[in-house]
């Protein structure tokens, strides 16, 4: 599905923003309204000017650029004055968002009333804070604590647009939804929206170190300035909270899972408490990654054995101390016995012993433990893809009720494409939490335009078949498949202190898509992209259409030019920047590429069928049969599950070797098409953002070509086969690609 650039040529250019803000022709009621609003025009113009000139990406999707004059006038007429309470911090946040958003988009600041107002109005509130909403209490009953209702109501001759919820935070979420409708040009006629989140804990995991370095972060240094906290609360922390709240993200794990025990020290807890204070009005709880050996490092104990009474007491005391400072602290995220991190197995105890000890310490305060299933060991023989399942599946039912097991989307490690993790559906008595990566460690860092919505969607819609057809990963995660009330979803954050937040304009879309899917895992990645483009760039269909088309195929393109047909883990060693299919040797086999592709003169791919590692056997029988059968396995996962000869016939009739080389080329060509599409948008996108995206697309193109050339050169050295017709030989010999070095590539673990 590609919208060629040529289709856009005949669409008129939008008028400059200042002209667009002035109403042209007004109907009667609108004229009256417009007089009422007019007094505030100047103020709003100034506010808007502040937003409009700074097209540096800082405003994210909350850009609220001026709408076409006629559209703005119509919305002003429909919304009227605003009646919104202002007694709590969250209520004030909702008012501020409305004021900021509507002034920006409609050209005038709305008139705000705390209560009682007679005309048509936009009414915000809970049953406690507004009498109109009090009368709707029945309709709110099933919304839950964070849900909301947006409704047009005719009450005693007045037309009311109501944002109603049972809690202030629900109202704030509703305000963001309403602003999104205005921003994307949706009609408010007959407005009737009911929303509540399908997943309880919607969390960003920051892999931020205390020294400001972000592991696998490509957006500059950490947002958290630990040195100036707690005294200086950078306004940026509030903007971060606003952005998250606009998506319904309600949790933030502040520090890296490769954790420093210092995060739990009194000094750092004060800093954490300061961030929690900033985030609280926006419904965001803070969490910390807990280093399992902290009782030794901070407490001077001789052990961190989870069954040792002194250790258990240390954690109880620590939890009490945290909750004294942060009464709504969310809990701990733990990476244990994985990649060198300490854990319960150091003492011969199980993951459940470790998780339960922390869960017991947090339980009196209502906190949770998010225990990661990303564990593997090169000492354990066998296929790394099978290890997490083997370690955890036997622990099903052994965890305390306030423990979530946090499972990466696939069994290896956030690769461009993986099958869904076999633990999903396999632990019915344990709530499993999804862990996606938003930062693009393996998908081109921040420079490649790769929209992750389709990746998330593919995983969430995958059918585990655990309880028959329809047992999707989404239903495991939202708790409906196995009846869990405790549910969660995490995304490894891609934000940093860089001005664009995410390292590029388009990487903001991945933060956005994660948040929207966390709220409702059944949403469509394409719909989400449409909203994001309209909010971030322009609601003009001539902008939305081509950009969404670019985005929607971009993830498949990255798969094609990096790791097509089920290949995986072929990146360069350490920093993971660029191709390294030749990576061999080093401390551990499962950190090499040859371990995964297994290419030789005869063929390529990892045999994970019953005749190989039998990873397929970890899936439900129906899925195992599909993945294990060469004639049924999706070709996109072919080499993940099968080792096949180079002349294996693909469903197209072509050989695997030819198909592999063609996939690489297809990926590069997709980037070229994105470049053309983007070039054609030059007149419709502000120059600063257009320039940067164009430059990044050039980088992406060069790197896609590099991935293709290096990979083709390497695999040809294995297959010894000629390239298919029309495919150019790599411009350099294999040794050239193998010799490239990138000592300061960003984001490497430290
Ligand atoms: O893929 C690996 C990353 C590490 C990361 C680890 C994990 C935080 O390369 O940088 O460590 O995954 O998820 O724990």
């Amino acid at each position: 599905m590609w919208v060629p650039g040529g289709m856009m040529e005949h669409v008129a250019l939008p008028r400059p923003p200042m002209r667009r803000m002035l109403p042209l022709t007004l109907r009667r009621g609108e004229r009256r309204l417009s007089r009422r609003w007019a007094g505030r025009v100047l103020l709003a113009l100034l506010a808007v000017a502040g937003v409009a000139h700074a097209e540096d990406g800082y405003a994210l999707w909350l850009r609220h650029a001026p709408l076409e004059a006629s559209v703005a006038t119509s919305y002003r007429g429909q919304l009227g004055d605003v009646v919104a309470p202002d007694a709590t911090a969250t209520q004030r946040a909702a008012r501020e968002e409305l004021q900021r958003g509507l002034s920006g988009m409609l050209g005038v600041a709305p008139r705000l009333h705390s209560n009682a107002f007679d005309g048509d109005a936009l009414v915000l509130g809970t049953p406690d804070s507004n009498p109109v909403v009090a009368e709707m209490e029945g309709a709110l009953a099933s919304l839950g604590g964070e849900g909301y209702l947006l409704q047009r109501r005719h009450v005693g001759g007045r037309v009311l647009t109501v944002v109603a919820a049972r809690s202030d935070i629900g109202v704030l979420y509703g305000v963001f939804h309403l602003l999104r409708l205005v921003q994307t040009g949706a009609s408010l006629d007959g407005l009737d929206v009911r929303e509540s989140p399908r997943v309880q804990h919607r969390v960003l995991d920051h892999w931020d170190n205390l020294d400001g370095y972000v592991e696998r972060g490509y957006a500059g240094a950490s947002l958290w300035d630990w040195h100036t906290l707690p005294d200086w609360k950078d306004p940026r922390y509030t903007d971060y909270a606003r952005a998250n709240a606009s998506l319904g993200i309600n949790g933030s794990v502040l520090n890296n899972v490769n954790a420093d025990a210092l995060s739990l020290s009194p000094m750092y807890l004060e800093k954490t408490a300061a961030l929690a204070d900033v985030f609280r009005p926006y419904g965001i709880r803070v969490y910390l990654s807990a280093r399992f050996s902290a009782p030794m490092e901070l407490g001077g104990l001789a052990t961190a054995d989870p069954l040792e009474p002194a250790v258990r007491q240390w954690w109880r005391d620590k939890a009490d101390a945290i909750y004294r400072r942060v009464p709504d602290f969310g809990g701990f995220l733990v990476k244990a016995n994985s990649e060198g991190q300490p854990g319960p197995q150091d003492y011969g105890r199980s993951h459940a012993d470790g998780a339960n000890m922390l869960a017991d310490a947090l339980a009196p305060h209502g906190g949770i433990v998010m225990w990661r299933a990303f564990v593997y060991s090169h000492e354990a023989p066998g296929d790394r893809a099978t290890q997490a399942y083997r370690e955890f599946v036997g622990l099903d039912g052994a965890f305390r009720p306030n423990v979530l097991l946090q499972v990466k989307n696939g069994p290896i490690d956030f690769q461009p494409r993986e099958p869904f993790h076999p633990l999903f559906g396999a632990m019915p008595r344990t709530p499993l939490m999804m862990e996606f990566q938003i930062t693009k460690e393996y998908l081109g860092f921040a420079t490649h335009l790769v929209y992750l919505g389709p990746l998330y969607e593919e995983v969430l819609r995958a059918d585990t078949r655990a309880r028959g057809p329809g047992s999707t990963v989404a239903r495991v995660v939202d708790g409906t498949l196995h009846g869990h009330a405790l549910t969660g979803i995490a995304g490894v954050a891609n934000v940093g202190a860089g001005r664009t937040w995410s390292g590029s304009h388009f990487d903001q879309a991945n933060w956005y898509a994660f948040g929207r899917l966390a709220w409702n895992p059944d949403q469509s990645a394409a719909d989400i992209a449409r909203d994001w483009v309209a909010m971030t760039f322009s609601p003009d269909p001539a902008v939305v259409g081509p950009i969404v088309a670019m985005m929607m195929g971009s993830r498949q393109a990255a798969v094609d030019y990096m790791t097509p047909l089920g290949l995986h883990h072929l990146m360069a060693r350490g920093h993971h920047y660029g191709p390294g299919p030749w990576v061999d040797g080093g401390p551990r086999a499962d950190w090499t590429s040859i371990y995964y592709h297994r290419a030789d003169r005869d063929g390529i791919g990892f045999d994970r069928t019953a005749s190989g590692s039998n990873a397929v056997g970890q899936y439900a029988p129906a899925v195992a049969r599909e993945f294990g059968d060469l004639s049924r396995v999706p070709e996109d996962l072919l080499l993940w599950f099968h080792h096949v000869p180079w002349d294996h016939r693909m469903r197209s009739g072509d050989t695997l070797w030819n198909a592999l080389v063609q996939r690489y080329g297809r990926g590069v060509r997709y980037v070229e098409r994105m470049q053309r599409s983007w070039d054609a948008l030059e007149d419709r996108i502000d120059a600063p953002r257009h320039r940067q995206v164009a430059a990044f697309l050039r980088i992406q193109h060069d790197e896609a070509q590099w991935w293709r050339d290096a990979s083709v050169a390497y695999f040809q050295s294995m297959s010894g086969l000629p390239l298919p017709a029309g495919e150019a030989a790599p411009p350099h010999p294999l040794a050239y690609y193998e010799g490239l070095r990138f000592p300061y590539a960003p984001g490497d673990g430290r």
Side-chain angles (χ1 to χ4, degrees):
M1 246 218 0
W2 188 262
V3 180
M7 279 176 62
M8 294 167 245
E9 275 163 18
H10 304 294
V11 183
L13 295 180
R15 278 164 292 172
M18 297 303 273
R19 275 183 59 200
R20 269 188 282 151
M21 281 185 298
L22 303 173
L24 302 173
T25 51
L26 302 181
R27 279 174 283 138
R28 263 180 93 125
E30 288 167 346
R31 216 172 276 146
R32 183 166 44 87
L33 261 167
S34 132
R35 266 202 302 277
R36 268 206 270 124
W37 287 62
R40 300 180 299 281
V41 165
L42 187 63
L43 194 71
L45 282 181
L46 294 174
V48 170
V51 174
H53 85 265
E55 295 291 16
D56 57 6
Y58 184 84
L60 294 162
W61 49 88
L62 301 175
R63 186 164 153 263
H64 298 134
L67 299 173
E68 283 289 337
S70 58
V71 178
T73 307
S74 155
Y75 278 125
R76 285 205 299 265
Q78 290 182 64
L79 293 173
D81 283 16
V82 174
V83 183
D86 62 358
T88 69
T90 302
Q91 290 172 357
R92 286 190 290 277
R95 282 169 73 107
E96 277 162 26
E97 286 307 321
L98 259 188
Q99 203 158 14
R100 184 198 303 244
L102 293 182
S103 327
M105 293 187 287
L106 308 186
V108 284
R111 194 200 300 264
L112 285 161
H113 310 267
S114 306
N115 227 316
F117 168 75
D118 287 341
D120 294 354
L122 167 58
V123 175
L124 267 51
T126 61
D128 289 340
S129 65
N130 186 287
V132 173
V133 178
E135 289 183 9
M136 299 165 64
E137 200 153 3
L140 304 180
S142 60
L143 280 180
E146 296 174 302
Y148 56 85
L149 205 65
L150 306 182
Q151 233 172 39
R152 289 286 264 192
R153 293 170 74 88
H154 295 264
V155 182
R158 302 162 68 198
V159 182
L160 303 180
T161 307
V162 183
V163 180
R166 288 170 56 192
S167 66
D168 288 342
I169 192 65
V171 174
L172 178 64
Y173 289 160
V175 163
F176 278 117
H177 190 138
L178 181 74
L179 289 171
R180 162 157 47 99
L181 294 177
V182 175
Q183 221 173 337
T184 55
S187 164
L188 302 182
D189 289 344
L191 181 68
D192 192 8
V193 172
R194 285 182 77 82
E195 281 282 343
S196 42
R198 289 254 308 274
V199 180
Q200 197 187 355
H201 298 284
R202 307 173 299 277
V203 177
L204 286 188
D205 291 353
H206 290 267
W207 285 357
D208 294 18
N209 294 344
L210 297 183
D211 64 1
Y213 188 81
V214 182
E215 181 158 347
R216 311 307 181 187
Y218 313 102
S222 172
L223 276 182
W224 325 131
D225 184 354
W226 294 109
H227 184 64
T228 53
L229 282 165
D231 300 298
W232 168 237
K233 294 174 184 152
D234 191 323
R236 190 154 187 173
Y237 304 150
T238 307
D239 286 336
Y240 164 85
R242 292 177 52 233
N244 281 333
S246 76
L247 305 171
I249 289 172
N250 64 1
S252 182
V253 184
L254 301 177
N255 60 322
N256 192 352
V257 287
N258 292 331
D260 187 330
L262 265 185
S263 293
L264 300 172
S265 66
M267 181 169 94
Y268 277 89
L269 290 178
E270 291 304 330
K271 298 168 190 280
T272 289
L275 287 174
D277 290 343
V278 176
F279 299 166
R280 191 167 296 113
Y282 295 90
I284 298 164
R285 292 168 136 203
V286 299
Y287 298 74
L288 289 172
S289 291
R291 184 162 166 87
F292 200 78
S293 52
M296 300 164 75
E297 286 145 14
L298 294 183
L301 301 187
T303 174
D305 182 346
L307 299 191
E308 170 65 39
V311 173
R312 300 176 69 83
Q313 188 59 47
W314 188 88
W315 282 109
R316 274 196 297 272
D317 293 345
K318 183 52 70 183
D320 294 348
I322 295 174
Y323 280 92
R324 274 196 297 278
R325 294 176 173 88
V326 187
D328 55 354
F329 181 67
F332 293 135
L333 171 64
V334 187
K335 172 175 176 177
N337 293 119
S338 172
E339 299 185 331
Q341 296 300 312
Q345 292 178 338
D346 302 346
Y347 309 95
R349 314 299 183 192
S350 73
H351 282 289
D353 292 330
N356 291 344
M357 170 191 62
L358 296 175
D360 289 343
L362 295 166
H365 308 282
I368 59 167
V369 173
M370 299 176 286
W371 191 268
R372 294 178 90 224
F374 178 70
V375 299
Y376 63 97
S377 158
H378 61 307
E379 278 129 24
D383 177 2
R384 168 170 156 190
T386 63
Q387 287 190 26
Y389 180 100
R390 285 193 271 131
E391 285 215 36
F392 281 97
V393 83
L395 295 175
D396 190 23
F399 294 96
R400 296 282 191 268
N402 58 333
V403 177
L404 280 152
L405 193 61
Q406 182 169 304
V407 182
K408 286 189 180 179
N409 59 272
I412 294 290
D413 190 9
F414 299 137
Q415 293 300 294
R417 173 171 277 121
E418 299 195 25
F420 69 87
H421 200 297
L423 279 173
F424 290 111
M427 296 184 68
R429 296 164 65 206
T430 308
L432 297 196
M433 177 172 185
M434 171 63 75
E435 180 175 349
F436 282 128
Q437 198 176 41
I438 309 173
T439 188
K440 301 206 315 297
E441 176 181 356
Y442 301 104
L443 288 114
F445 294 6
T447 28
H448 292 209
L449 193 168
V450 179
Y451 173 49
L452 297 178
L455 187 162
Y456 302 153
E457 183 182 72
E458 178 178 298
V459 175
L460 291 165
R461 291 184 180 182
D463 195 347
T464 70
R465 303 291 290 266
R467 303 185 75 180
S471 305
T472 59
V473 171
R475 293 195 56 214
V476 176
V477 172
D478 74 9
T480 54
L481 190 68
H482 296 124
H484 292 294
L486 178 64
T487 56
I489 181 165
V492 178
N494 68 346
V495 303
R499 191 68 188 161
T500 59
W501 296 89
S502 301
S504 77
H505 297 295
F506 272 90
D507 275 291
Q508 297 175 354
N510 294 328
W511 179 7
Y512 184 85
F514 167 77
R516 293 286 302 274
L517 283 164
W519 180 272
N520 176 2
D522 284 338
Q523 282 183 101
S524 114
D527 288 348
I528 294 171
R530 270 188 282 278
D531 282 347
W532 178 79
V533 176
M535 296 162 83
T536 304
F537 290 109
S538 161
D540 180 351
V543 171
V544 175
I547 297 184
V548 171
M550 287 166 63
M551 291 167 73
M552 287 306 291
S554 59
R555 181 277 189 135
Q556 180 63 46
V559 171
D560 286 346
Y561 63 69
M562 291 178 173
T563 51
L565 298 173
L567 289 174
H568 49 287
H569 207 290
L570 303 185
M571 63 288 168
R573 196 197 292 279
H575 48 60
H576 299 170
Y577 172 65
W582 46 81
V583 169
D584 187 9
R588 25 192 317 174
D590 55 10
W591 282 357
T592 68
S593 299
I594 60 152
Y595 173 90
Y596 295 97
H597 65 63
R598 308 203 164 198
D600 59 19
R601 197 79 186 166
D602 301 322
I604 182 170
F606 198 129
D607 183 3
R608 293 192 166 110
T609 68
S611 59
S613 77
N614 200 26
V616 293
Q618 296 183 336
Y619 291 94
V623 178
R625 279 195 296 276
E626 184 188 334
F627 288 164
D629 181 346
L630 198 48
S631 68
R632 289 177 62 209
V633 66
E635 283 190 338
D636 278 331
L637 294 174
L638 175 66
L639 304 177
W640 186 284
F641 287 114
H642 297 269
H643 185 84
V644 293
W646 294 109
D647 63 359
H648 166 80
R649 287 286 153 191
M650 303 295 285
R651 277 160 217 156
S652 66
D654 214 344
T655 64
L656 166 70
W657 166 249
N658 283 357
L660 184 71
V661 177
Q662 281 154 359
R663 285 282 176 123
Y664 275 110
R666 186 174 87 171
V668 179
R669 283 192 300 278
Y670 191 93
V671 180
E672 287 163 2
R673 294 215 300 282
M674 288 203 289
Q675 289 183 285
R676 286 200 295 276
S677 246
W678 187 255
D679 286 349
L681 289 166
E682 192 174 355
D683 293 338
R684 297 176 188 282
I685 307 283
D686 51 281
R689 289 191 297 172
H690 192 273
R691 258 200 310 274
Q692 196 195 55
V693 172
F696 279 20
L697 282 169
R698 281 195 296 277
I699 295 173
Q700 181 177 10
H701 177 258
D702 291 350
E703 293 183 353
Q705 189 70 55
W706 165 36
W707 266 94
R708 179 268 176 198
D709 291 337
S711 305
V712 168
Y714 174 75
F715 288 125
Q716 194 174 29
S717 78
M718 296 283 137
S719 76
L721 293 168
L723 297 182
E727 296 291 338
H732 302 285
L734 177 58
Y736 165 84
Y737 301 107
E738 291 181 350
L740 296 174
R741 294 286 176 271
F742 304 94
Y744 296 109
D748 200 355
R750 263 209 319 213

